[in-house]
Amino acid sequence: MLPAVQRKFAGHNMLGFFAWVPRWWLVKATTLKPRPQCLPPCNSSMAGDDGSVVRWLYLSLYNWVTFFGWLQVLYHAILALLGGGHEAVYAAVKLPLLFSQTAAIAEIPHSIIGLVRSPISATLPQVCGRILVTWYIVWSFPETQSHVLVTSLVLSWSITEVIRYSFFGLKEAFGITPFWLLWLRYSTFTVLYPIGLISEVGLIFTAMPHMKGRSFYICAGLTSLYIPGAPPSLSLCLHPSKVGSDMTHCCFCFFWLSGFPYLYRYMLAQRKKVLSKAKTA
């Protein structure tokens, strides 16, 4: 059993990893040439290939299992909202939410090894950001769990993921992509993504007054991980021993929001590309 001080700093470093790595990777990814895909997409001509069959089975299973996980989240969230109000939503969706969102960690190696076409520069910040909110904000601070923003967060996430995983489940398992589902996949994010982001930031602010005095202080965790090559001025700004907690909070939210423009522009570009291709097909 680690002493309390060591546990505290271990928690800080883990939190720092989830908060800093996505932003650091965004900078690197936008300055490097894209790496060729390690695995080609599955198609009928590869049906006899063992690696292709394993890929098909794995991605089909992953997408459908995760789809049913998010479908449970959406179903129980609606029932709880109608039956007990927004205060009852988190308790109703807690277990399927933790399972489904944690399962998304697999999408990082999927992207790295080329199992899917999603670029790591878009996958990493989104997955790590959601994991941070799910486990280190909402789960860790019961004070946030009855907040109305949990409802908007859960609904925006679950609707998005039910559409996304059903789309990829049909595509991987059966090779079909209905246009109505394609349109939902590449259109609903224009509304749901900003709602989710506002909910995430709002819950972070809600949790902040309760962070002081806990066994881990999430804002300090942002700064306890050493990032090679970080500008001295940035390190000075974010070091909790040199600035007040309010400044640390502001820096936390600034870096949280920093990935939004890139991800949103990327998704808009994908929407234009995919829908244009579908209309001309």
Side-chain angles (χ1 to χ4, degrees), residues 18-88:
F18 277 107
W20 274 101
V21 167
R23 276 70 184 179
W24 175 80
W25 189 278
L26 268 178
V27 176
K28 293 294 184 183
T30 54
T31 57
L32 295 176
K33 294 182 179 180
R35 181 177 55 83
Q37 299 293 335
C38 297
L39 294 176
C42 182
N43 53 55
S44 57
S45 65
M46 299 169 58
D49 183 76
D50 291 342
S52 177
V53 172
V54 171
R55 175 192 179 278
W56 173 76
L57 287 173
Y58 170 75
L59 288 180
S60 298
L61 181 64
Y62 171 79
N63 282 304
W64 283 115
V65 167
T66 314
F67 163 77
F68 283 111
W70 281 109
L71 188 62
Q72 285 191 63
V73 174
L74 180 60
Y75 173 74
H76 290 297
I78 293 173
L79 287 185
L81 183 62
L82 296 176
H86 69 268
E87 296 89 350

Side-chain angles (χ1 to χ4, degrees), residues 86-104:
H86 69 268
E87 296 89 350
V89 169
Y90 183 76
V93 305
K94 179 179 178 180
L95 291 180
L97 175 64
L98 293 176
F99 166 79
S100 301
Q101 191 54 66
T102 304

Side-chain angles (χ1 to χ4, degrees), residues 118-195:
S118 300
I120 188 62
S121 59
T123 302
L124 188 66
Q126 184 174 24
V127 172
C128 290
R130 283 193 176 191
I131 291 293
L132 185 65
V133 170
T134 301
W135 284 101
Y136 297 110
I137 297 296
V138 181
W139 182 81
S140 299
F141 294 95
E143 297 86 355
T144 65
Q145 294 172 8
S146 60
H147 199 285
V148 67
L149 287 176
V150 170
T151 301
S152 59
L153 180 80
V154 168
L155 289 177
S156 63
W157 282 5
S158 59
I159 294 172
T160 297
E161 302 299 21
V162 164
I163 294 171
R164 185 165 74 97
Y165 285 110
S166 61
F167 173 80
F168 285 115
L170 289 173
K171 183 178 180 181
E172 291 293 342
F174 307 108
I176 58 175
T177 53
F179 181 78
W180 62 269
L181 188 57
L182 179 73
W183 186 89
L184 288 175
R185 163 74 181 95
Y186 289 99
S187 299
T188 53
F189 79 87
T190 57
V191 175
L192 296 176
Y193 185 34
I195 291 175

